[in-house]
Amino acid sequence: MQNILIRRGRPKDAYHFSELVTLTSPAIFPIVFGSGVKKIMKNLFPHKRHYYSFDRSFFAEMDGKVVGMAQMHKLATRKGQTVRLSFLLLKYLKWRLPTKAINLLKFDRLIKFVARNDCYVSNVSVYPEFRSFGVGTKLLSAVEEEAKSIGKKRIVLHAETHNTRAISLYERLGYNIESRSPSLKIRNRFFESFKMAKSVAS
């Protein structure tokens, strides 16, 4: 395994976050947020305490270069995160907010099926040219250690059913498919995912 450094996210990682987060689901994010999704994510990232914030993220570096990232959420603060994100979207989307908000609420519905005492991993992404170096494994290991340090017993995530590469990685790391989540219909397209979970109890 290569020498991979995992660190906390910083506001100045906004560019890499905007690139990496859209790679996690290249079909969904442009539909939810529109063609300017990368600019929106870049604007949202430096603000604290919401789903796309730097203070919810971990970044992986190799030779000083950012190569991947992951986001972890403590769902006990879910309501506050939603309110915070709504205000930020109003600031950056303005008149486009009503249309985008409908799509975002559909996207957010998946989290309702996650218990509040679980940690939730919303995004794990590695740049394509670095996907065979164990970066995803290192990121998830860091997330698991953080979850244990705050007393959480499980980590939950969603993987799109067609993303066999990601599902294989998660299964190899001890995540199990618990259920098939309800289909999401966004602008006449259907998206399906598996809810996967892993116990991290000591």
Side-chain angles (χ1 to χ4, degrees), residues 36-68:
V37 58
K38 290 184 180 180
K39 182 178 179 181
I40 293 168
M41 290 298 172
K42 192 174 179 180
N43 287 331
L44 291 174
F45 185 73
H47 297 277
K48 292 182 177 180
R49 302 185 304 278
H50 65 87
Y51 291 120
Y52 304 108
S53 171
F54 75 92
D55 63 0
R56 304 290 191 264
S57 64
F58 294 84
F59 280 77
E61 290 185 356
M62 290 174 59
D63 299 324
K65 295 180 180 179
V66 171
V67 297

Side-chain angles (χ1 to χ4, degrees), residues 22-37:
T22 51
L23 285 176
T24 62
S25 189
I28 290 180
F29 276 105
I31 291 176
V32 173
F33 291 100
S35 59
V37 58

Side-chain angles (χ1 to χ4, degrees), residues 13-104:
D13 294 315
Y15 167 76
H16 285 293
F17 176 74
S18 69
E19 294 290 321
L20 287 162
V21 75
T22 51
L23 285 176
T24 62
S25 189
I28 290 180
F29 276 105
I31 291 176
V32 173
F33 291 100
S35 59
V37 58
K38 290 184 180 180
K39 182 178 179 181
I40 293 168
M41 290 298 172
K42 192 174 179 180
N43 287 331
L44 291 174
F45 185 73
H47 297 277
K48 292 182 177 180
R49 302 185 304 278
H50 65 87
Y51 291 120
Y52 304 108
S53 171
F54 75 92
D55 63 0
R56 304 290 191 264
S57 64
F58 294 84
F59 280 77
E61 290 185 356
M62 290 174 59
D63 299 324
K65 295 180 180 179
V66 171
V67 297
M69 73 88 193
Q71 284 194 298
M72 186 190 84
H73 305 279
K74 296 171 280 188
L75 295 181
T77 60
R78 181 168 180 261
K79 184 175 180 181
Q81 289 189 75
T82 302
V83 171
R84 175 77 167 153
L85 180 59
S86 297
F87 278 113
L88 290 169
L89 288 173
L90 181 61
K91 177 181 179 180
Y92 293 116
L93 288 173
K94 297 177 181 172
W95 61 271
R96 294 173 294 163
L97 180 61
T99 302
K100 306 304 180 196
I102 292 171
N103 293 333
L104 185 61

Side-chain angles (χ1 to χ4, degrees), residues 2-196:
Q2 296 287 319
N3 184 22
I4 301 166
L5 170 70
I6 305 297
R7 61 166 175 81
R8 299 274 186 173
R10 303 186 287 248
K12 68 179 184 180
D13 294 315
Y15 167 76
H16 285 293
F17 176 74
S18 69
E19 294 290 321
L20 287 162
V21 75
T22 51
L23 285 176
T24 62
S25 189
I28 290 180
F29 276 105
I31 291 176
V32 173
F33 291 100
S35 59
V37 58
K38 290 184 180 180
K39 182 178 179 181
I40 293 168
M41 290 298 172
K42 192 174 179 180
N43 287 331
L44 291 174
F45 185 73
H47 297 277
K48 292 182 177 180
R49 302 185 304 278
H50 65 87
Y51 291 120
Y52 304 108
S53 171
F54 75 92
D55 63 0
R56 304 290 191 264
S57 64
F58 294 84
F59 280 77
E61 290 185 356
M62 290 174 59
D63 299 324
K65 295 180 180 179
V66 171
V67 297
M69 73 88 193
Q71 284 194 298
M72 186 190 84
H73 305 279
K74 296 171 280 188
L75 295 181
T77 60
R78 181 168 180 261
K79 184 175 180 181
Q81 289 189 75
T82 302
V83 171
R84 175 77 167 153
L85 180 59
S86 297
F87 278 113
L88 290 169
L89 288 173
L90 181 61
K91 177 181 179 180
Y92 293 116
L93 288 173
K94 297 177 181 172
W95 61 271
R96 294 173 294 163
L97 180 61
T99 302
K100 306 304 180 196
I102 292 171
N103 293 333
L104 185 61
L105 287 171
K106 290 180 180 178
F107 194 41
D108 186 53
R109 260 192 335 198
L110 292 177
I111 305 175
K112 292 182 179 179
F113 297 94
V114 179
R116 288 170 60 87
N117 58 346
D118 290 336
C119 264
Y120 183 68
V121 176
S122 59
N123 300 292
V124 180
S125 181
V126 178
Y127 282 122
E129 61 268 35
F130 297 101
R131 286 182 181 167
S132 298
F133 296 97
V135 178
T137 299
K138 282 275 195 177
L139 282 164
L140 285 165
S141 178
V143 166
E144 290 166 14
E145 288 303 313
E146 175 69 9
K148 286 190 283 188
S149 75
I150 59 175
K152 297 293 185 177
K153 304 299 184 186
R154 293 199 328 156
I155 293 179
V156 175
L157 54 82
H158 285 93
E160 291 184 65
T161 55
H162 66 79
N163 194 349
T164 55
R165 183 188 181 97
I167 292 168
S168 294
L169 170 64
Y170 299 143
E171 289 181 327
R172 193 163 66 248
L173 296 178
Y175 290 80
N176 296 305
I177 295 174
E178 287 196 336
S179 62
R180 193 182 189 105
S181 298
S183 297
L184 295 181
K185 183 181 180 182
I186 304 176
R187 290 176 60 183
N188 296 318
R189 290 192 62 179
F190 287 90
F191 298 93
E192 295 185 330
S193 63
F194 292 122
K195 176 185 172 185
M196 304 184 71

